[in-house]
Amino acid sequence: MTEKQKIDEWATHLKAIISSTPIQLNESISARGERIAGLEADPEKWFCYYFPHYSFAAPAPFHVAATKRVLEKKEWYEVRMWSRELAKSTRTMMEVLYLTLVGHPAENMYVTEDGTIENSEAIRLKKKYVLLISNSLDNATRLLTPYKLNLQYNERIIQDYGEQESSGKWQAAEFTTERGVSFRALGAGQSPRGTRNEETRPDILLFDDVDTDADCLNPEIVAKKWRWIEEAAIGTRSISQPTTIIFCGNRIAIDCCIERARSFADVTDIINIRNEQGASSWSEKNSEEDIERVLSQKSYAATQKEYFNNPVTEGSVFKQMAWKPALAIDAYKHLICYTDPSYKELGDYKATVLVGVWRQEYHILKCYLEQTTSASMLDWHFEIHKLTKGKCSFYMEEVFMQDVIIKELNNNCIKHNIPISVKGDKRNKPNKFTRIEALLEPLNRNNRLYFNMEERHNPHMVRLEEQFLSFAYSGRAHDDGPDAVEGAIWLLSELEGSRNEMELLPVGGRLRNNRM
């Protein structure tokens, strides 16, 4: 980030804070006391009142549950693997400011008629030292900026909790409030020595985006950074003093610091942009239309890493997929349309592929690959029937050939006035990874598997290529598309009588066990 960008971001924050926090100048002391007490008793109302700029959308249940854990547990270790656009840094900031502004008043503390607090040292603060750590000092300082600006310019905080800006230490990367609460930004790998507020050690440790894509490519760097986190950063805490530790970030690699933190956390909260039912995890802010729009602008691998905590390694099995123009439909002796339905209505991908065999090549002519309903999936079959002029055999995994599917298919046949017979693939299938790697990787490597060039910009076919490139042993990437292609080619090889010649070994002769 350039210096100008930093200044612009600072100015934007400042303007938003000042404009959104007007105060009641004529409020009585008793009314103010009642209002503050009511807000402090309900953290969600407290957040909305003091930070209206950040509270433009109602919180989701996972936000409320996370805040409840952090505010109730004095000693706590939490990992927040929240997707982008789920306000993990903002939510954490509001919680931290609650813990550092709201205190436990002692019995001999009282408010005078002029509104000043007598015996203010009697207020026992919940937390007194915040250490915010990121991948670099510059990034940590940027993340600490909203804290500093709110303490310095938020009129509602100043009115209810007094002036926070101290005449002493008040820099961008380190400052201490008038009430003695310290905040410090630290970059990963920096020495945290001298990190004390008088005799108080850090009692809130925030790790926000400590991982980087570049670092995660090198296991030694990840291991070194994690040793620093464990020994130096977390080592700043006191054994006898309750401490809150929070990691915020996405799981951007199989091995990364936030993934390692899971082994030690009291709670790991994994929230993706969509929930298990395929709906928005925070519908009050992120609509389905907005999510679909943004995800459509990124590759499958990028969306899985940034929005689904599912890092995928591109090219680990299929390095590159080949494309060439398809032949006329009549040129193919055999055509098979194979469907791999998903178990969940919207959570997984449903895949329907049309594959033809020409000489010793297998051409993927058409593909439908989407998180959708069973009704939409069945409609794909009629599109392929029209495309092939009925010269195509339809198959589906036998396990899915249930009464409900058959009934819905029959209803669709009547609706479209097209008779379609879908057969069940009764094969006793080996595990999924072995099947796909053993059959398709050699075909791809030996220039016998091709995608239809005319479908190069079809989102469904693009998705299929991305699933092939993301296919990996022990991976969590979706593989419904490659699974459907494997089913079609296996059946085509049976029709061609070429099963024996297709028993090629994948690179390295790997045959591993994996999920079905």
Side-chain angles (χ1 to χ4, degrees):
M1 183 179 290
T2 66
E3 198 62 34
K4 183 181 183 304
Q5 288 174 322
K6 292 178 185 177
I7 294 173
D8 289 344
E9 184 178 59
W10 181 90
T12 300
H13 274 302
L14 180 58
K15 182 179 179 180
I17 290 168
I18 294 175
S19 64
S20 66
T21 57
I23 59 175
Q24 302 176 48
L25 295 175
N26 299 321
E27 188 178 29
S28 68
I29 298 299
S30 59
R32 181 160 69 94
E34 290 180 6
R35 176 177 55 76
I36 295 172
L39 291 171
E40 290 181 351
D42 188 337
E44 295 305 323
K45 290 182 179 178
W46 194 89
F47 295 160
C48 288
Y49 179 76
Y50 293 104
F51 308 103
H53 174 59
Y54 306 110
S55 305
F56 57 87
F62 74 86
H63 287 125
V64 178
T67 292
K68 182 176 172 61
R69 290 191 300 267
V70 168
L71 298 189
E72 289 184 353
K73 307 286 187 180
K74 294 181 180 180
E75 171 67 36
W76 193 243
Y77 191 146
E78 178 158 323
V79 172
R80 292 180 173 176
M81 288 187 180
W82 296 359
S83 161
R84 285 177 181 265
E85 296 296 322
L86 295 186
K88 51 184 174 287
S89 297
T90 300
R91 188 73 179 186
T92 302
M93 179 196 72
M94 294 191 295
E95 293 165 352
V96 168
L97 290 177
Y98 181 94
L99 290 170
T100 53
L101 287 170
V102 176
H104 304 284
E107 292 180 1
N108 60 344
M109 186 207 79
Y110 63 94
V111 180
T112 63
E113 286 300 321
D114 64 358
T116 60
I117 299 175
E118 289 293 329
N119 197 17
S120 60
E121 67 273 9
I123 297 178
R124 299 189 299 275
L125 298 173
K126 290 180 171 66
K127 299 290 182 180
K128 290 196 68 176
Y129 200 147
V130 180
L131 189 59
L132 194 157
I133 299 159
S134 192
N135 54 71
S136 67
L137 176 60
D138 188 61
N139 202 47
T141 302
R142 182 183 64 81
L143 290 168
L144 193 61
T145 296
Y147 291 77
K148 181 173 179 286
L149 291 179
N150 272 287
L151 291 170
Q152 191 172 1
Y153 296 106
N154 188 312
E155 293 292 337
R156 293 181 177 180
I157 288 177
I158 293 170
Q159 181 188 43
D160 294 346
Y161 295 99
E163 291 284 347
Q164 301 297 314
E165 182 180 1
S166 65
S167 56
K169 186 180 292 183
W170 198 259
Q171 289 88 38
E174 190 170 3
F175 52 91
T176 301
T177 70
E178 280 289 346
R179 297 177 73 187
V181 180
S182 291
F183 294 80
R184 183 184 177 189
L186 198 66
Q190 284 188 281
S191 173
R193 293 187 182 277
T195 305
R196 289 193 181 192
N197 175 8
E198 296 178 349
E199 293 305 313
T200 303
R201 289 176 174 271
D203 51 11
I204 295 183
L205 293 168
L206 302 181
F207 297 88
D208 200 328
D209 281 337
V210 292
D211 293 303
T212 67
D213 292 318
D215 287 352
C216 290
L217 294 174
N218 190 326
E220 292 183 3
I221 292 178
V222 174
K224 182 180 178 181
K225 185 185 290 186
W226 181 249
R227 282 196 302 272
W228 178 87
I229 288 173
E230 282 193 306
E231 298 169 9
I234 298 180
T236 62
R237 66 156 297 172
S238 167
I239 291 178
S240 58
Q241 182 180 13
T243 301
T244 299
I245 301 173
I246 300 178
F247 277 78
C248 290
N250 301 109
R251 184 173 178 259
I252 64 173
I254 300 298
D255 183 19
C256 56
C257 291
I258 196 169
E259 175 67 20
R260 294 189 180 204
R262 293 179 63 180
S263 301
F264 305 95
D266 295 301
V267 163
T268 296
D269 202 23
I270 303 177
I271 308 293
N272 299 324
I273 196 70
R274 283 180 170 142
N275 58 27
E276 292 183 355
Q277 288 71 46
S280 173
S281 298
W282 190 10
S283 57
E284 294 82 358
K285 174 181 177 290
N286 305 314
S287 70
E288 280 299 317
E289 293 76 15
D290 290 340
I291 293 173
E292 190 60 36
R293 170 67 176 167
V294 172
L295 298 191
S296 69
Q297 296 170 341
K298 296 174 179 283
S299 70
Y300 175 81
T303 59
Q304 287 297 300
K305 180 174 70 173
E306 296 173 9
Y307 297 99
F308 294 93
N309 286 291
N310 180 29
V312 294
T313 304
E314 293 185 284
S316 60
V317 175
F318 298 94
K319 306 298 181 184
Q320 185 176 2
M321 309 310 294
W323 297 75
K324 70 187 303 187
L327 304 175
I329 288 297
D330 293 337
Y332 296 99
K333 182 179 179 182
H334 297 293
L335 291 165
I336 283 184
C337 172
Y338 194 100
T339 294
D340 179 18
S342 61
Y343 286 95
K344 300 174 186 175
E345 187 69 4
L346 289 173
D348 290 340
Y349 281 84
K350 291 176 171 59
T352 295
V353 296
L354 173 65
V355 183
V357 59
W358 181 74
R359 296 179 181 174
Q360 292 186 323
E361 295 178 3
Y362 293 89
H363 297 178
I364 304 171
L365 307 175
K366 190 74 176 176
C367 168
Y368 294 94
L369 184 59
E370 192 174 15
Q371 292 171 309
T372 188
T373 63
S374 296
S376 295
M377 175 194 73
L378 292 175
D379 282 341
W380 297 338
H381 292 68
F382 296 94
E383 295 299 321
I384 288 178
H385 183 275
K386 294 175 185 176
L387 176 66
T388 61
K389 304 171 185 176
K391 300 176 182 178
C392 172
S393 299
F394 292 86
Y395 283 85
M396 185 182 294
E397 288 192 48
E398 176 72 16
V399 68
F400 292 101
M401 295 298 293
Q402 301 167 1
D403 291 343
V404 61
I405 293 289
I406 294 173
K407 181 180 179 181
E408 195 164 0
L409 178 63
N410 290 336
N411 290 338
N412 280 18
C413 287
I414 295 173
K415 181 179 74 174
H416 291 278
N417 195 28
I418 297 175
I420 289 181
S421 174
V422 179
K423 302 175 184 177
D425 181 3
K426 300 181 180 181
R427 177 175 37 142
N428 185 16
K429 293 184 176 182
N431 66 74
K432 186 182 292 188
F433 181 86
T434 298
R435 285 189 288 106
I436 295 173
E437 184 190 34
L439 181 61
L440 303 186
E441 190 279 332
L443 291 177
N444 185 58
R445 176 165 37 91
N446 290 290
N447 301 315
R448 293 176 58 189
L449 179 63
Y450 291 96
F451 284 59
N452 183 1
M453 179 65 78
E454 292 156 8
E455 295 282 305
R456 189 69 181 85
H457 300 294
N458 186 324
H460 294 270
M461 195 70 95
V462 171
R463 244 176 252 135
L464 178 62
E465 181 186 37
E466 289 174 342
Q467 287 196 6
F468 266 103
L469 296 177
S470 303
F471 185 75
Y473 174 65
S474 296
R476 296 168 59 227
H478 291 285
D479 50 21
D480 308 281
D483 196 21
V485 173
E486 186 275 337
I489 291 180
W490 192 91
L491 291 169
L492 285 169
S493 68
E494 287 284 288
L495 291 173
E496 290 286 300
S498 57
R499 284 297 305 146
N500 291 335
E501 70 176 66
M502 292 188 64
E503 295 298 336
L504 304 173
L505 278 177
V507 174
R510 300 182 304 248
L511 288 175
R512 306 187 185 93
N513 289 323
N514 197 36
R515 52 187 164 66
M516 290 297 290

